[in-house]
Amino acid sequence: MSAPPHPQPPAKGASHGAGDFSYVGIDAILEQMRRKAMKQGFELNIMIVGQSGLGKSTLMNTLFKSKVSRKSVVSTPEERIPKTIEIKSISHDIEEKGVRMKLTVIDTPGFGDHINNENCWQPIMKFINDQYEQYLQEEININRKKRIPDSRVHCCMYFIPPTGHCLRPLDVEFMSRLSKVVNIVPVIAKADTLTLEERDFFKQTIREGLRANGIDVYPQEEFDEDADDRMINDKIREMIPFAVVGSDQEYQVNGKRLLGRKTKWGTIEVENIAHCEFAYLRDLLIRTHMQNIKDITSSIHYEVYRVRRLNETNAQPNDGMPRYSNIQMCTDQLFKSSRSIS
């Protein structure tokens, strides 16, 4: 009599249902998605806007615990205030525990640094729309790439000076215009210059100013997907704007090495929520809402731009310029529907 055949080893992920006759293995899709995402890596594009001297570069370095800001990488003989707003970006490949991410930091030197800051938001708006246009052109290509490089701005961190009073006309104008095309996260820069009472009053005044001017910053209430999202995001909205302190210097505090700012009366610990709200900002941008920020960029802000461009193209006279065909429009519409947030 021949020996019975050896049983085949279960597929990876099937061990969870061992002995369970009803187990199918649908949950294994999560592991498949994780492996695919680990292979592809991730992209995150953050724009930082605010007048000079507010610690934008330092805060970016603090967020990613690396020298990721433009100033940290590009050495200049002397820092000058440009005559016009310049848009400068620099990319880094970051890896943590096997997860790879391409981080692009877009800086806007010259913003708010002039006597006349009228229309200083326009070059920034143009840059954001240019990235949407670049992505759109890649998307409608007949032989488009399997994975389109994503240079769209996912998040704009807007730095508010710690005046302790209220939003300036420049702040209102910028956020009113840009909140319609990009996710804006406002922060109070160098919050350690304010007392706790001044900080709370300033935050409350800013929130009232945002509501009075109809400025919808991230996370936008209209994009909450369900009651759980709304409960989480309501807590975040109550904290906005985040009062932050940035530092890439380490100090010894009670036997531990911590990021902080050393003063005569002690050390301001950057990641201590009793000292500032940096930890809440970091969690929002990286640990809890990064994918949602990217989803809203793709499915809301980019789609608004895309629909507008399609309408503009269809309205153009037949002047020999390239136009969308009906087939292309139907294909694009199906592609749009497959990516929309349910």
Side-chain angles (χ1 to χ4, degrees):
M1 182 180 292
S2 60
H6 294 290
Q8 293 295 321
K12 188 174 181 180
S15 58
H16 298 293
D20 184 357
F21 180 75
S22 63
Y23 179 74
V24 176
I26 298 172
D27 61 338
I29 187 65
L30 297 176
E31 176 61 22
Q32 297 171 38
M33 293 170 67
R34 189 192 71 83
R35 288 201 305 267
K36 182 177 180 180
M38 292 282 282
K39 285 181 181 178
Q40 290 182 342
F42 301 89
E43 294 171 318
L44 180 64
N45 307 320
I46 297 182
M47 173 178 277
I48 51 177
V49 179
Q51 66 188 62
S52 58
L54 292 180
K56 301 186 296 294
S57 299
T58 301
L59 186 67
M60 290 305 300
N61 293 342
T62 311
L63 271 172
F64 294 95
K65 296 187 176 180
S66 304
K67 301 290 186 182
V68 297
S69 67
R70 179 184 59 86
K71 283 186 180 180
S72 302
V73 178
V74 181
S75 59
T76 54
E78 60 181 57
E79 190 66 23
R80 60 173 182 84
I81 297 176
K83 294 181 180 180
T84 57
I85 296 173
E86 301 173 354
I87 311 291
K88 298 183 177 181
S89 62
I90 189 162
S91 298
H92 305 267
D93 290 317
I94 299 175
E95 185 169 341
E96 182 180 61
K97 295 183 179 180
V99 179
R100 294 179 294 106
M101 183 175 74
K102 180 184 178 183
L103 171 68
T104 300
V105 179
I106 303 124
D107 199 357
T108 55
F111 177 86
D113 290 333
H114 303 95
I115 296 174
N116 182 6
N117 291 301
E118 187 179 1
N119 297 330
C120 64
W121 51 270
Q122 288 182 346
I124 297 172
M125 175 80 85
K126 181 180 182 302
F127 177 87
I128 292 171
N129 284 333
D130 285 348
Q131 307 318 302
Y132 290 153
E133 181 67 24
Q134 184 176 324
Y135 194 91
L136 176 62
Q137 293 305 318
E138 288 284 353
E139 204 174 50
I140 64 176
N141 238 331
I142 295 176
N143 299 315
R144 63 184 176 192
K145 299 171 184 175
K146 185 177 180 181
R147 189 180 182 198
I148 299 174
D150 190 0
S151 63
R152 296 171 296 183
V153 179
H154 300 128
C155 175
C156 173
M157 287 176 57
Y158 185 73
F159 287 70
I160 301 170
T163 62
H165 301 302
C166 60
L167 290 173
R168 304 166 302 168
L170 174 62
D171 303 326
V172 173
E173 178 77 4
F174 178 87
M175 288 191 281
S176 294
R177 302 272 187 174
L178 273 293
S179 62
K180 296 176 176 62
V181 298
V182 70
N183 298 312
I184 290 184
V185 177
V187 299
I188 299 173
K190 296 189 173 181
D192 53 327
T193 61
L194 300 170
T195 66
L196 294 179
E197 292 77 13
E198 289 171 339
R199 189 177 80 180
D200 290 342
F201 174 77
F202 193 30
K203 284 165 62 74
Q204 180 62 33
T205 304
I206 290 173
R207 283 194 293 270
E208 291 172 358
L210 293 174
R211 282 193 295 269
N213 290 281
I215 300 171
D216 207 6
V217 298
Y218 183 85
Q220 301 92 333
E221 192 169 353
E222 62 179 306
F223 302 146
D224 292 343
E225 295 184 11
D226 50 40
D228 290 338
D229 269 4
R230 189 169 299 109
M231 183 174 63
I232 293 170
N233 290 340
D234 278 344
K235 293 179 180 178
I236 296 171
R237 285 187 276 264
E238 290 172 3
M239 293 183 196
I240 285 175
F242 297 100
V244 297
V245 177
S247 174
D248 46 15
Q249 298 295 315
E250 289 188 355
Y251 296 97
Q252 197 86 12
V253 179
N254 298 326
K256 297 180 180 178
R257 293 198 67 79
L258 302 170
L259 288 173
R261 286 169 56 85
K262 196 172 182 64
T263 66
K264 288 183 179 180
W265 52 87
T267 302
I268 301 164
E269 300 171 25
V270 168
E271 297 179 278
N272 187 337
I273 58 175
H275 292 190
C276 75
E277 295 170 338
F278 168 82
Y280 295 125
L281 173 66
R282 177 200 58 203
D283 289 353
L284 176 74
L285 293 178
I286 302 172
R287 301 185 181 183
T288 62
H289 283 64
M290 181 193 291
Q291 188 58 49
N292 183 255
I293 287 172
K294 295 178 64 176
D295 287 345
I296 289 179
T297 299
S298 179
S299 299
I300 305 297
H301 295 306
Y302 170 66
E303 285 302 321
V304 169
Y305 177 86
R306 183 174 172 279
V307 168
R308 178 169 62 82
R309 287 286 287 114
L310 283 171
N311 290 333
E312 288 175 356
T313 305
N314 289 335
Q316 287 178 359
N318 188 11
D319 53 3
M321 297 297 289
R323 300 182 61 168
Y324 290 98
S325 67
N326 291 334
I327 295 176
Q328 181 66 58
M329 288 185 64
C330 292
T331 305
D332 287 352
Q333 186 63 37
L334 286 171
F335 184 73
K336 169 189 173 185
S337 300
S338 69
R339 297 189 310 143
S340 62
I341 296 177
S342 59

mmCIF file with all atom_site columns, all heavy atoms in Angstrom, residues 4 10 22 43 183 224 245 302:
data_model
loop_
_atom_site.group_PDB
_atom_site.id
_atom_site.type_symbol
_atom_site.label_atom_id
_atom_site.label_alt_id
_atom_site.label_comp_id
_atom_site.label_asym_id
_atom_site.label_entity_id
_atom_site.label_seq_id
_atom_site.pdbx_PDB_ins_code
_atom_site.Cartn_x
_atom_site.Cartn_y
_atom_site.Cartn_z
_atom_site.occupancy
_atom_site.B_iso_or_equiv
_atom_site.pdbx_formal_charge
_atom_site.auth_seq_id
_atom_site.auth_comp_id
_atom_site.auth_asym_id
_atom_site.auth_atom_id
_atom_site.pdbx_PDB_model_num
ATOM 1  N N   . PRO A 1 4   ? 0.284   7.708  2.116   1.00 0.00 ? 4   PRO A N   1
ATOM 2  C CA  . PRO A 1 4   ? -0.592  8.830  1.742   1.00 0.00 ? 4   PRO A CA  1
ATOM 3  C C   . PRO A 1 4   ? 0.221   10.049 1.363   1.00 0.00 ? 4   PRO A C   1
ATOM 4  O O   . PRO A 1 4   ? 1.307   10.271 1.893   1.00 0.00 ? 4   PRO A O   1
ATOM 5  C CB  . PRO A 1 4   ? -1.395  9.083  3.040   1.00 0.00 ? 4   PRO A CB  1
ATOM 6  C CG  . PRO A 1 4   ? -0.536  8.543  4.132   1.00 0.00 ? 4   PRO A CG  1
ATOM 7  C CD  . PRO A 1 4   ? 0.186   7.362  3.542   1.00 0.00 ? 4   PRO A CD  1
ATOM 8  N N   . PRO A 1 10  ? -0.006  25.480 3.683   1.00 0.00 ? 10  PRO A N   1
ATOM 9  C CA  . PRO A 1 10  ? -1.017  26.500 3.389   1.00 0.00 ? 10  PRO A CA  1
ATOM 10 C C   . PRO A 1 10  ? -0.388  27.761 2.834   1.00 0.00 ? 10  PRO A C   1
ATOM 11 O O   . PRO A 1 10  ? 0.766   28.078 3.128   1.00 0.00 ? 10  PRO A O   1
ATOM 12 C CB  . PRO A 1 10  ? -1.657  26.771 4.761   1.00 0.00 ? 10  PRO A CB  1
ATOM 13 C CG  . PRO A 1 10  ? -0.586  26.385 5.741   1.00 0.00 ? 10  PRO A CG  1
ATOM 14 C CD  . PRO A 1 10  ? 0.167   25.253 5.120   1.00 0.00 ? 10  PRO A CD  1
ATOM 15 N N   . SER A 1 22  ? -15.320 27.595 7.151   1.00 0.00 ? 22  SER A N   1
ATOM 16 C CA  . SER A 1 22  ? -15.943 28.712 6.446   1.00 0.00 ? 22  SER A CA  1
ATOM 17 C C   . SER A 1 22  ? -14.941 29.758 5.966   1.00 0.00 ? 22  SER A C   1
ATOM 18 O O   . SER A 1 22  ? -15.311 30.711 5.292   1.00 0.00 ? 22  SER A O   1
ATOM 19 C CB  . SER A 1 22  ? -16.966 29.398 7.366   1.00 0.00 ? 22  SER A CB  1
ATOM 20 O OG  . SER A 1 22  ? -16.312 29.946 8.499   1.00 0.00 ? 22  SER A OG  1
ATOM 21 N N   . GLU A 1 43  ? 4.812   58.875 -2.209  1.00 0.00 ? 43  GLU A N   1
ATOM 22 C CA  . GLU A 1 43  ? 5.220   60.236 -2.566  1.00 0.00 ? 43  GLU A CA  1
ATOM 23 C C   . GLU A 1 43  ? 4.452   61.222 -1.696  1.00 0.00 ? 43  GLU A C   1
ATOM 24 O O   . GLU A 1 43  ? 3.259   61.043 -1.451  1.00 0.00 ? 43  GLU A O   1
ATOM 25 C CB  . GLU A 1 43  ? 4.939   60.521 -4.039  1.00 0.00 ? 43  GLU A CB  1
ATOM 26 C CG  . GLU A 1 43  ? 5.767   59.680 -4.999  1.00 0.00 ? 43  GLU A CG  1
ATOM 27 C CD  . GLU A 1 43  ? 5.304   59.833 -6.436  1.00 0.00 ? 43  GLU A CD  1
ATOM 28 O OE1 . GLU A 1 43  ? 4.077   59.846 -6.673  1.00 0.00 ? 43  GLU A OE1 1
ATOM 29 O OE2 . GLU A 1 43  ? 6.170   59.933 -7.326  1.00 0.00 ? 43  GLU A OE2 1
ATOM 30 N N   . ASN A 1 183 ? -4.868  71.648 -0.003  1.00 0.00 ? 183 ASN A N   1
ATOM 31 C CA  . ASN A 1 183 ? -5.115  71.458 1.425   1.00 0.00 ? 183 ASN A CA  1
ATOM 32 C C   . ASN A 1 183 ? -4.202  72.387 2.220   1.00 0.00 ? 183 ASN A C   1
ATOM 33 O O   . ASN A 1 183 ? -2.983  72.253 2.166   1.00 0.00 ? 183 ASN A O   1
ATOM 34 C CB  . ASN A 1 183 ? -4.831  70.015 1.827   1.00 0.00 ? 183 ASN A CB  1
ATOM 35 C CG  . ASN A 1 183 ? -5.734  69.028 1.124   1.00 0.00 ? 183 ASN A CG  1
ATOM 36 O OD1 . ASN A 1 183 ? -6.942  69.194 1.079   1.00 0.00 ? 183 ASN A OD1 1
ATOM 37 N ND2 . ASN A 1 183 ? -5.137  67.994 0.541   1.00 0.00 ? 183 ASN A ND2 1
ATOM 38 N N   . ASP A 1 224 ? -15.591 64.880 5.360   1.00 0.00 ? 224 ASP A N   1
ATOM 39 C CA  . ASP A 1 224 ? -15.652 63.794 6.339   1.00 0.00 ? 224 ASP A CA  1
ATOM 40 C C   . ASP A 1 224 ? -16.496 62.661 5.761   1.00 0.00 ? 224 ASP A C   1
ATOM 41 O O   . ASP A 1 224 ? -17.626 62.886 5.309   1.00 0.00 ? 224 ASP A O   1
ATOM 42 C CB  . ASP A 1 224 ? -16.269 64.276 7.655   1.00 0.00 ? 224 ASP A CB  1
ATOM 43 C CG  . ASP A 1 224 ? -15.371 65.261 8.393   1.00 0.00 ? 224 ASP A CG  1
ATOM 44 O OD1 . ASP A 1 224 ? -14.171 65.322 8.068   1.00 0.00 ? 224 ASP A OD1 1
ATOM 45 O OD2 . ASP A 1 224 ? -15.865 65.965 9.292   1.00 0.00 ? 224 ASP A OD2 1
ATOM 46 N N   . VAL A 1 245 ? 6.695   74.736 17.711  1.00 0.00 ? 245 VAL A N   1
ATOM 47 C CA  . VAL A 1 245 ? 8.080   75.152 17.905  1.00 0.00 ? 245 VAL A CA  1
ATOM 48 C C   . VAL A 1 245 ? 8.939   74.138 17.173  1.00 0.00 ? 245 VAL A C   1
ATOM 49 O O   . VAL A 1 245 ? 8.716   72.928 17.312  1.00 0.00 ? 245 VAL A O   1
ATOM 50 C CB  . VAL A 1 245 ? 8.465   75.184 19.399  1.00 0.00 ? 245 VAL A CB  1
ATOM 51 C CG1 . VAL A 1 245 ? 9.942   75.540 19.569  1.00 0.00 ? 245 VAL A CG1 1
ATOM 52 C CG2 . VAL A 1 245 ? 7.592   76.170 20.159  1.00 0.00 ? 245 VAL A CG2 1
ATOM 53 N N   . TYR A 1 302 ? -7.718  68.176 -7.572  1.00 0.00 ? 302 TYR A N   1
ATOM 54 C CA  . TYR A 1 302 ? -7.289  67.917 -8.950  1.00 0.00 ? 302 TYR A CA  1
ATOM 55 C C   . TYR A 1 302 ? -8.490  67.723 -9.872  1.00 0.00 ? 302 TYR A C   1
ATOM 56 O O   . TYR A 1 302 ? -8.489  68.199 -11.020 1.00 0.00 ? 302 TYR A O   1
ATOM 57 C CB  . TYR A 1 302 ? -6.389  66.683 -8.996  1.00 0.00 ? 302 TYR A CB  1
ATOM 58 C CG  . TYR A 1 302 ? -6.097  66.197 -10.395 1.00 0.00 ? 302 TYR A CG  1
ATOM 59 C CD1 . TYR A 1 302 ? -5.356  66.976 -11.279 1.00 0.00 ? 302 TYR A CD1 1
ATOM 60 C CD2 . TYR A 1 302 ? -6.593  64.977 -10.848 1.00 0.00 ? 302 TYR A CD2 1
ATOM 61 C CE1 . TYR A 1 302 ? -5.106  66.552 -12.574 1.00 0.00 ? 302 TYR A CE1 1
ATOM 62 C CE2 . TYR A 1 302 ? -6.347  64.542 -12.140 1.00 0.00 ? 302 TYR A CE2 1
ATOM 63 C CZ  . TYR A 1 302 ? -5.600  65.325 -13.000 1.00 0.00 ? 302 TYR A CZ  1
ATOM 64 O OH  . TYR A 1 302 ? -5.353  64.897 -14.284 1.00 0.00 ? 302 TYR A OH  1
#
